[in-house]
Amino acid sequence: MNRTMSRKSLYTDTPMGRAIIQAMLEVNSEISEQVADAEPGTFRAYIFGGAALHIHTNARGSADIDVEFQAARAIELGDISVIYVDNDGIEKALIVDDTFTPTISGLLPECYQDDAIQLFGSDSDPLVAYVVTALDLAVTKMDRLAVDDQADIVSLHQAGKFTANELR
């Protein structure tokens, strides 16, 4: 997958998209404070759930960011939240859920990390944050397949993020 081309079609410049990036910036700051000698890129975050859906489609938002963290050493994030104003002028809070575990369903593709699209991180940041691909996000939603999950899969497909054959 060409990550550069994929990045262009993401909704990171919406109020919620900017709040997601701001939250990752705050996580990066927490890491820098707690781990003074953290090497660049030694902490990785993979965004799933409603936040990932928003980034891919600009569809429904979320009150939290389901994020899987991978790190060389553990950190204590505490409560990280970002307040933002949505397109309707309503103030909302977005909370980082660092307890999220994407592997519960067993449907997560093995290569989701390799295919994920970078959203945040530079050569000097200890944190690099990614959003999982729309296809990998859809696959994770197939396990529970609640009404919202079904609608999310349809939204991703209607946005042209994958074909029915790719989902199969």
Side-chain angles (χ1 to χ4, degrees):
M1 166 177 281
N2 184 331
R3 293 181 187 195
T4 304
M5 294 300 282
S6 298
R7 177 88 167 81
K8 290 180 182 178
S9 63
L10 299 178
Y11 291 92
T12 55
D13 200 28
T14 62
M16 184 176 180
R18 288 189 297 273
I20 292 167
I21 300 298
Q22 178 63 38
M24 292 302 103
L25 181 62
E26 291 185 24
V27 170
N28 188 64
S29 294
E30 278 290 318
I31 293 168
S32 295
E33 287 177 22
Q34 292 181 37
V35 186
D37 60 345
E39 294 289 322
T42 55
F43 293 80
R44 296 183 181 263
Y46 296 89
I47 298 170
F48 289 83
L53 178 76
H54 178 83
I55 288 170
H56 282 293
T57 65
N58 195 22
R60 86 173 168 90
S62 180
D64 66 351
I65 303 172
D66 291 333
V67 62
E68 174 195 36
F69 285 102
Q70 296 183 346
R73 72 188 253 197
I75 57 166
E76 189 65 38
L77 283 181
D79 294 329
I80 293 180
S81 64
V82 173
I83 306 298
Y84 71 100
V85 178
D86 72 7
N87 288 330
D88 296 323
I90 299 170
E91 190 173 271
K92 294 188 174 184
L94 188 60
I95 299 167
V96 175
D97 178 2
D98 63 341
T99 64
F100 173 77
T101 305
T103 56
I104 290 173
S105 75
L107 291 178
L108 188 61
E110 289 180 23
C111 59
Y112 76 95
Q113 294 169 340
D114 295 333
D115 294 339
I117 304 159
Q118 185 174 336
L119 293 178
F120 174 88
S122 69
D123 292 341
S124 61
D125 292 316
L127 176 70
V128 179
Y130 302 87
V131 63
V132 296
T133 66
L135 183 57
D136 288 345
L137 179 60
V139 169
T140 65
K141 291 182 166 290
M142 291 178 69
D143 186 43
R144 187 176 65 173
L145 212 53
V147 173
D148 284 347
D149 297 313
Q150 293 173 39
D152 292 348
I153 293 168
V154 169
S155 292
L156 290 163
H157 180 262
Q158 288 176 337
K161 299 293 182 167
F162 55 81
T163 66
N165 283 338
E166 289 171 324
L167 185 58
R168 273 190 216 94

